[in-house]
mmCIF file of all heavy atoms in Angstrom:
data_model
loop_
_atom_site.group_PDB
_atom_site.id
_atom_site.type_symbol
_atom_site.label_atom_id
_atom_site.label_comp_id
_atom_site.label_asym_id
_atom_site.label_seq_id
_atom_site.Cartn_x
_atom_site.Cartn_y
_atom_site.Cartn_z
ATOM 1 N N TYR G 197 130.175 44.429 165.751
ATOM 2 C CA TYR G 197 130.270 44.427 164.301
ATOM 3 C C TYR G 197 128.877 44.606 163.697
ATOM 4 O O TYR G 197 127.886 44.134 164.247
ATOM 5 C CB TYR G 197 130.850 43.099 163.787
ATOM 6 C CG TYR G 197 132.301 42.870 164.148
ATOM 7 C CD1 TYR G 197 132.662 42.378 165.403
ATOM 8 C CD2 TYR G 197 133.309 43.148 163.242
ATOM 9 C CE1 TYR G 197 133.994 42.182 165.736
ATOM 10 C CE2 TYR G 197 134.652 42.950 163.559
ATOM 11 C CZ TYR G 197 134.972 42.466 164.815
ATOM 12 O OH TYR G 197 136.295 42.267 165.139
ATOM 13 N N GLN G 199 126.749 43.695 160.272
ATOM 14 C CA GLN G 199 126.765 42.870 159.069
ATOM 15 C C GLN G 199 125.530 43.174 158.234
ATOM 16 O O GLN G 199 124.427 42.709 158.544
ATOM 17 C CB GLN G 199 126.828 41.382 159.415
ATOM 18 C CG GLN G 199 126.980 40.491 158.189
ATOM 19 C CD GLN G 199 127.061 39.015 158.517
ATOM 20 O OE1 GLN G 199 126.752 38.592 159.636
ATOM 21 N NE2 GLN G 199 127.481 38.223 157.571
ATOM 22 N N GLY G 204 130.205 41.065 154.581
ATOM 23 C CA GLY G 204 130.930 40.590 155.738
ATOM 24 C C GLY G 204 130.754 41.564 156.892
ATOM 25 O O GLY G 204 130.381 42.721 156.700
ATOM 26 N N PRO G 205 130.991 41.106 158.101
ATOM 27 C CA PRO G 205 130.884 42.002 159.263
ATOM 28 C C PRO G 205 131.879 43.152 159.175
ATOM 29 O O PRO G 205 133.011 42.970 158.738
ATOM 30 C CB PRO G 205 131.204 41.078 160.442
ATOM 31 C CG PRO G 205 130.919 39.695 159.948
ATOM 32 C CD PRO G 205 131.285 39.717 158.497
ATOM 33 N N PHE G 207 133.683 46.205 161.506
ATOM 34 C CA PHE G 207 134.026 46.562 162.888
ATOM 35 C C PHE G 207 133.461 47.926 163.245
ATOM 36 O O PHE G 207 133.692 48.912 162.530
ATOM 37 C CB PHE G 207 135.544 46.554 163.024
ATOM 38 C CG PHE G 207 136.075 46.990 164.350
ATOM 39 C CD1 PHE G 207 136.018 46.136 165.437
ATOM 40 C CD2 PHE G 207 136.657 48.235 164.516
ATOM 41 C CE1 PHE G 207 136.540 46.522 166.665
ATOM 42 C CE2 PHE G 207 137.172 48.635 165.736
ATOM 43 C CZ PHE G 207 137.114 47.775 166.815
ATOM 44 N N GLN G 210 135.448 48.622 169.866
ATOM 45 C CA GLN G 210 135.835 47.615 170.850
ATOM 46 C C GLN G 210 135.952 48.267 172.219
ATOM 47 O O GLN G 210 136.406 49.419 172.333
ATOM 48 C CB GLN G 210 137.180 46.992 170.463
ATOM 49 C CG GLN G 210 137.664 45.910 171.402
ATOM 50 C CD GLN G 210 138.997 45.339 170.952
ATOM 51 O OE1 GLN G 210 140.054 45.694 171.435
ATOM 52 N NE2 GLN G 210 138.937 44.429 169.994
ATOM 53 N N ASN G 217 138.574 51.291 173.068
ATOM 54 C CA ASN G 217 139.995 51.302 172.697
ATOM 55 C C ASN G 217 140.200 51.036 171.217
ATOM 56 O O ASN G 217 141.259 50.581 170.801
ATOM 57 C CB ASN G 217 140.800 50.303 173.540
ATOM 58 C CG ASN G 217 140.592 48.875 173.112
ATOM 59 O OD1 ASN G 217 139.550 48.539 172.581
ATOM 60 N ND2 ASN G 217 141.590 48.024 173.315
ATOM 61 N N LEU G 250 122.446 42.885 160.704
ATOM 62 C CA LEU G 250 122.679 41.995 161.830
ATOM 63 C C LEU G 250 123.829 42.585 162.641
ATOM 64 O O LEU G 250 124.889 42.857 162.086
ATOM 65 C CB LEU G 250 123.041 40.597 161.327
ATOM 66 C CG LEU G 250 123.321 39.537 162.387
ATOM 67 C CD1 LEU G 250 122.045 39.198 163.165
ATOM 68 C CD2 LEU G 250 123.905 38.271 161.757
ATOM 69 N N SER G 256 136.305 38.383 173.983
ATOM 70 C CA SER G 256 137.581 37.687 173.974
ATOM 71 C C SER G 256 138.283 37.903 175.296
ATOM 72 O O SER G 256 137.973 38.825 176.054
ATOM 73 C CB SER G 256 138.454 38.148 172.804
ATOM 74 O OG SER G 256 138.523 39.549 172.743
ATOM 75 N N GLN G 259 143.945 40.621 176.166
ATOM 76 C CA GLN G 259 144.658 40.759 174.904
ATOM 77 C C GLN G 259 145.921 39.912 174.862
ATOM 78 O O GLN G 259 146.715 39.893 175.786
ATOM 79 C CB GLN G 259 145.034 42.234 174.693
ATOM 80 C CG GLN G 259 143.882 43.188 174.938
ATOM 81 C CD GLN G 259 143.450 43.914 173.693
ATOM 82 O OE1 GLN G 259 144.114 43.840 172.684
ATOM 83 N NE2 GLN G 259 142.333 44.624 173.749
ATOM 84 N N ALA G 261 148.333 37.143 171.857
ATOM 85 C CA ALA G 261 148.456 36.644 170.495
ATOM 86 C C ALA G 261 147.426 35.578 170.186
ATOM 87 O O ALA G 261 146.825 35.561 169.137
ATOM 88 C CB ALA G 261 149.863 36.098 170.269
ATOM 89 N N ASP G 262 147.218 34.701 171.151
ATOM 90 C CA ASP G 262 146.354 33.552 170.886
ATOM 91 C C ASP G 262 144.933 33.824 171.346
ATOM 92 O O ASP G 262 144.279 32.957 171.920
ATOM 93 C CB ASP G 262 146.931 32.318 171.590
ATOM 94 C CG ASP G 262 146.322 31.045 171.065
ATOM 95 O OD1 ASP G 262 145.740 31.082 169.962
ATOM 96 O OD2 ASP G 262 146.384 30.012 171.758
ATOM 97 N N THR G 263 144.450 35.025 171.116
ATOM 98 C CA THR G 263 143.121 35.399 171.582
ATOM 99 C C THR G 263 142.096 35.142 170.502
ATOM 100 O O THR G 263 142.222 35.635 169.391
ATOM 101 C CB THR G 263 143.108 36.888 171.963
ATOM 102 O OG1 THR G 263 144.079 37.117 172.974
ATOM 103 C CG2 THR G 263 141.747 37.296 172.475
ATOM 104 N N GLU G 264 141.096 34.376 170.853
ATOM 105 C CA GLU G 264 140.036 34.065 169.906
ATOM 106 C C GLU G 264 138.799 34.851 170.272
ATOM 107 O O GLU G 264 138.442 34.959 171.441
ATOM 108 C CB GLU G 264 139.724 32.567 169.946
ATOM 109 C CG GLU G 264 138.564 32.143 169.066
ATOM 110 C CD GLU G 264 138.247 30.660 169.212
ATOM 111 O OE1 GLU G 264 139.133 29.891 169.638
ATOM 112 O OE2 GLU G 264 137.096 30.273 168.903
ATOM 113 N N ALA G 265 138.130 35.407 169.277
ATOM 114 C CA ALA G 265 136.874 36.112 169.490
ATOM 115 C C ALA G 265 135.721 35.132 169.363
ATOM 116 O O ALA G 265 135.637 34.378 168.392
ATOM 117 C CB ALA G 265 136.728 37.236 168.461
ATOM 118 N N PHE G 267 131.686 34.796 169.061
ATOM 119 C CA PHE G 267 130.571 35.619 168.614
ATOM 120 C C PHE G 267 129.239 35.147 169.191
ATOM 121 O O PHE G 267 129.011 33.952 169.371
ATOM 122 C CB PHE G 267 130.480 35.606 167.084
ATOM 123 C CG PHE G 267 131.513 36.454 166.420
ATOM 124 C CD1 PHE G 267 132.790 35.976 166.207
ATOM 125 C CD2 PHE G 267 131.211 37.744 166.002
ATOM 126 C CE1 PHE G 267 133.760 36.761 165.596
ATOM 127 C CE2 PHE G 267 132.169 38.537 165.387
ATOM 128 C CZ PHE G 267 133.443 38.041 165.187
ATOM 129 N N GLY G 268 128.370 36.121 169.438
ATOM 130 C CA GLY G 268 127.005 35.814 169.787
ATOM 131 C C GLY G 268 126.179 35.546 168.538
ATOM 132 O O GLY G 268 126.685 35.599 167.411
ATOM 133 N N GLN G 269 124.894 35.264 168.759
ATOM 134 C CA GLN G 269 124.005 34.924 167.645
ATOM 135 C C GLN G 269 123.571 36.148 166.854
ATOM 136 O O GLN G 269 123.063 36.028 165.741
ATOM 137 C CB GLN G 269 122.740 34.228 168.163
ATOM 138 C CG GLN G 269 123.006 32.962 168.936
ATOM 139 C CD GLN G 269 123.332 31.805 168.017
ATOM 140 O OE1 GLN G 269 124.349 31.807 167.333
ATOM 141 N NE2 GLN G 269 122.480 30.807 168.017
ATOM 142 N N TYR W 323 147.399 37.886 161.620
ATOM 143 C CA TYR W 323 146.836 36.578 161.913
ATOM 144 C C TYR W 323 145.654 36.386 160.969
ATOM 145 O O TYR W 323 144.975 37.346 160.601
ATOM 146 C CB TYR W 323 146.351 36.492 163.360
ATOM 147 C CG TYR W 323 147.424 36.718 164.399
ATOM 148 C CD1 TYR W 323 147.160 37.441 165.553
ATOM 149 C CD2 TYR W 323 148.704 36.186 164.244
ATOM 150 C CE1 TYR W 323 148.123 37.638 166.520
ATOM 151 C CE2 TYR W 323 149.678 36.385 165.210
ATOM 152 C CZ TYR W 323 149.385 37.114 166.340
ATOM 153 O OH TYR W 323 150.344 37.321 167.298
ATOM 154 N N TYR W 327 135.888 31.804 159.379
ATOM 155 C CA TYR W 327 134.683 31.633 160.170
ATOM 156 C C TYR W 327 133.579 31.066 159.280
ATOM 157 O O TYR W 327 133.538 31.327 158.075
ATOM 158 C CB TYR W 327 134.197 32.963 160.746
ATOM 159 C CG TYR W 327 135.006 33.483 161.904
ATOM 160 C CD1 TYR W 327 136.158 34.240 161.703
ATOM 161 C CD2 TYR W 327 134.617 33.227 163.219
ATOM 162 C CE1 TYR W 327 136.894 34.724 162.765
ATOM 163 C CE2 TYR W 327 135.348 33.708 164.293
ATOM 164 C CZ TYR W 327 136.479 34.460 164.059
ATOM 165 O OH TYR W 327 137.207 34.933 165.111
ATOM 166 N N GLN W 329 129.248 30.759 159.014
ATOM 167 C CA GLN W 329 127.993 31.309 159.508
ATOM 168 C C GLN W 329 126.838 30.529 158.898
ATOM 169 O O GLN W 329 126.631 30.557 157.683
ATOM 170 C CB GLN W 329 127.870 32.784 159.160
ATOM 171 C CG GLN W 329 126.646 33.466 159.760
ATOM 172 C CD GLN W 329 126.626 34.957 159.484
ATOM 173 O OE1 GLN W 329 126.997 35.405 158.401
ATOM 174 N NE2 GLN W 329 126.202 35.738 160.467
ATOM 175 N N GLN W 333 122.437 32.639 162.296
ATOM 176 C CA GLN W 333 123.325 32.401 163.429
ATOM 177 C C GLN W 333 124.521 33.343 163.392
ATOM 178 O O GLN W 333 124.764 34.039 162.400
ATOM 179 C CB GLN W 333 123.792 30.946 163.439
ATOM 180 C CG GLN W 333 122.669 29.950 163.707
ATOM 181 C CD GLN W 333 123.208 28.570 164.008
ATOM 182 O OE1 GLN W 333 124.353 28.403 164.431
ATOM 183 N NE2 GLN W 333 122.385 27.560 163.791
ATOM 184 N N GLY W 334 125.271 33.349 164.467
ATOM 185 C CA GLY W 334 126.500 34.134 164.525
ATOM 186 C C GLY W 334 127.635 33.404 163.827
ATOM 187 O O GLY W 334 127.426 32.470 163.060
ATOM 188 N N LEU W 335 128.841 33.838 164.094
ATOM 189 C CA LEU W 335 130.024 33.284 163.445
ATOM 190 C C LEU W 335 130.697 32.249 164.349
ATOM 191 O O LEU W 335 130.841 32.471 165.548
ATOM 192 C CB LEU W 335 131.021 34.395 163.139
ATOM 193 C CG LEU W 335 130.530 35.511 162.226
ATOM 194 C CD1 LEU W 335 131.561 36.626 162.164
ATOM 195 C CD2 LEU W 335 130.255 34.979 160.839
ATOM 196 N N LEU W 337 134.267 29.965 164.673
ATOM 197 C CA LEU W 337 135.631 29.850 164.176
ATOM 198 C C LEU W 337 135.894 28.444 163.651
ATOM 199 O O LEU W 337 135.673 27.459 164.347
ATOM 200 C CB LEU W 337 136.626 30.173 165.287
ATOM 201 C CG LEU W 337 138.103 30.115 164.904
ATOM 202 C CD1 LEU W 337 138.442 31.240 163.917
ATOM 203 C CD2 LEU W 337 138.993 30.225 166.137
ATOM 204 N N LYS W 340 142.465 28.934 162.495
ATOM 205 C CA LYS W 340 143.222 30.174 162.547
ATOM 206 C C LYS W 340 144.701 29.897 162.294
ATOM 207 O O LYS W 340 145.197 28.806 162.629
ATOM 208 C CB LYS W 340 143.061 30.862 163.906
ATOM 209 C CG LYS W 340 143.513 30.015 165.079
ATOM 210 C CD LYS W 340 143.178 30.673 166.415
ATOM 211 C CE LYS W 340 143.541 29.758 167.583
ATOM 212 N NZ LYS W 340 143.117 30.332 168.886
ATOM 213 N N LEU W 342 148.280 31.628 163.283
ATOM 214 C CA LEU W 342 148.983 32.644 164.063
ATOM 215 C C LEU W 342 150.464 32.658 163.700
ATOM 216 O O LEU W 342 151.062 33.719 163.509
ATOM 217 C CB LEU W 342 148.804 32.384 165.562
ATOM 218 C CG LEU W 342 147.355 32.326 166.081
ATOM 219 C CD1 LEU W 342 147.332 32.082 167.585
ATOM 220 C CD2 LEU W 342 146.608 33.593 165.731
ATOM 221 N N PHE W 381 133.543 33.044 155.889
ATOM 222 C CA PHE W 381 134.216 34.332 155.895
ATOM 223 C C PHE W 381 135.687 34.156 156.260
ATOM 224 O O PHE W 381 136.010 33.515 157.261
ATOM 225 C CB PHE W 381 133.571 35.277 156.908
ATOM 226 C CG PHE W 381 132.187 35.708 156.539
ATOM 227 C CD1 PHE W 381 131.077 35.046 157.052
ATOM 228 C CD2 PHE W 381 131.987 36.784 155.687
ATOM 229 C CE1 PHE W 381 129.791 35.440 156.712
ATOM 230 C CE2 PHE W 381 130.703 37.193 155.338
ATOM 231 C CZ PHE W 381 129.610 36.513 155.856
ATOM 232 N N ARG W 385 143.552 39.994 161.128
ATOM 233 C CA ARG W 385 143.765 41.025 162.137
ATOM 234 C C ARG W 385 145.260 41.202 162.321
ATOM 235 O O ARG W 385 146.039 40.261 162.098
ATOM 236 C CB ARG W 385 143.098 40.689 163.471
ATOM 237 C CG ARG W 385 143.499 39.383 164.106
ATOM 238 C CD ARG W 385 143.108 39.291 165.551
ATOM 239 N NE ARG W 385 144.165 39.835 166.411
ATOM 240 C CZ ARG W 385 144.539 39.302 167.562
ATOM 241 N NH1 ARG W 385 143.948 38.222 168.007
ATOM 242 N NH2 ARG W 385 145.479 39.859 168.285
ATOM 243 N N PHE W 389 146.240 44.213 167.739
ATOM 244 C CA PHE W 389 144.895 44.691 168.070
ATOM 245 C C PHE W 389 143.882 43.672 167.599
ATOM 246 O O PHE W 389 144.072 43.023 166.574
ATOM 247 C CB PHE W 389 144.642 46.047 167.412
ATOM 248 C CG PHE W 389 143.327 46.668 167.774
ATOM 249 C CD1 PHE W 389 143.012 46.946 169.103
ATOM 250 C CD2 PHE W 389 142.398 46.969 166.802
ATOM 251 C CE1 PHE W 389 141.797 47.510 169.433
ATOM 252 C CE2 PHE W 389 141.182 47.536 167.124
ATOM 253 C CZ PHE W 389 140.883 47.812 168.437
ATOM 254 N N GLN W 390 142.777 43.533 168.357
ATOM 255 C CA GLN W 390 141.857 42.454 168.075
ATOM 256 C C GLN W 390 140.784 42.764 167.041
ATOM 257 O O GLN W 390 139.867 41.984 166.867
ATOM 258 C CB GLN W 390 141.195 42.002 169.378
ATOM 259 C CG GLN W 390 142.183 41.369 170.337
ATOM 260 C CD GLN W 390 141.502 40.829 171.570
ATOM 261 O OE1 GLN W 390 140.376 40.360 171.517
ATOM 262 N NE2 GLN W 390 142.174 40.923 172.703
ATOM 263 N N LYS W 391 140.882 43.859 166.323
ATOM 264 C CA LYS W 391 139.896 44.173 165.301
ATOM 265 C C LYS W 391 140.046 43.202 164.126
ATOM 266 O O LYS W 391 141.126 43.054 163.558
ATOM 267 C CB LYS W 391 140.115 45.593 164.796
ATOM 268 C CG LYS W 391 139.355 45.927 163.508
ATOM 269 C CD LYS W 391 139.804 47.257 162.953
ATOM 270 C CE LYS W 391 139.252 47.496 161.549
ATOM 271 N NZ LYS W 391 139.726 48.782 160.995
ATOM 272 N N LEU W 392 138.944 42.539 163.777
ATOM 273 C CA LEU W 392 138.924 41.626 162.639
ATOM 274 C C LEU W 392 138.429 42.364 161.394
ATOM 275 O O LEU W 392 137.433 43.080 161.450
ATOM 276 C CB LEU W 392 138.009 40.446 162.923
ATOM 277 C CG LEU W 392 138.515 39.430 163.953
ATOM 278 C CD1 LEU W 392 137.372 38.537 164.424
ATOM 279 C CD2 LEU W 392 139.626 38.572 163.360
ATOM 280 N N PHE W 394 136.987 41.501 157.748
ATOM 281 C CA PHE W 394 136.387 40.357 157.062
ATOM 282 C C PHE W 394 136.301 40.579 155.554
ATOM 283 O O PHE W 394 136.169 41.714 155.074
ATOM 284 C CB PHE W 394 134.963 40.109 157.576
ATOM 285 C CG PHE W 394 134.896 39.546 158.962
ATOM 286 C CD1 PHE W 394 134.896 40.375 160.071
ATOM 287 C CD2 PHE W 394 134.808 38.167 159.158
ATOM 288 C CE1 PHE W 394 134.822 39.853 161.351
ATOM 289 C CE2 PHE W 394 134.732 37.636 160.437
ATOM 290 C CZ PHE W 394 134.733 38.482 161.533
ATOM 291 N N GLY W 395 136.314 39.480 154.829
ATOM 292 C CA GLY W 395 135.959 39.517 153.425
ATOM 293 C C GLY W 395 134.446 39.539 153.285
ATOM 294 O O GLY W 395 133.710 39.520 154.277
ATOM 295 N N THR W 396 133.985 39.560 152.043
ATOM 296 C CA THR W 396 132.544 39.656 151.788
ATOM 297 C C THR W 396 131.835 38.313 151.873
ATOM 298 O O THR W 396 130.615 38.255 151.801
ATOM 299 C CB THR W 396 132.278 40.269 150.405
ATOM 300 O OG1 THR W 396 133.037 39.558 149.435
ATOM 301 C CG2 THR W 396 132.676 41.741 150.387
#
Side-chain angles (χ1 to χ4, degrees):
Chain G
Y197 292 82
Q199 185 179 14
F207 176 76
Q210 181 180 99
N217 76 332
L250 180 67
S256 49
Q259 312 245 350
D262 196 18
T263 301
E264 176 183 338
F267 284 83
Q269 301 283 65
Chain W
Y323 300 141
Y327 285 85
Q329 186 175 38
Q333 293 192 23
L335 300 173
L337 181 67
K340 59 187 176 185
L342 303 181
F381 292 96
R385 57 164 271 220
F389 184 59
Q390 294 185 34
K391 167 190 170 182
L392 289 164
F394 288 87
T396 51

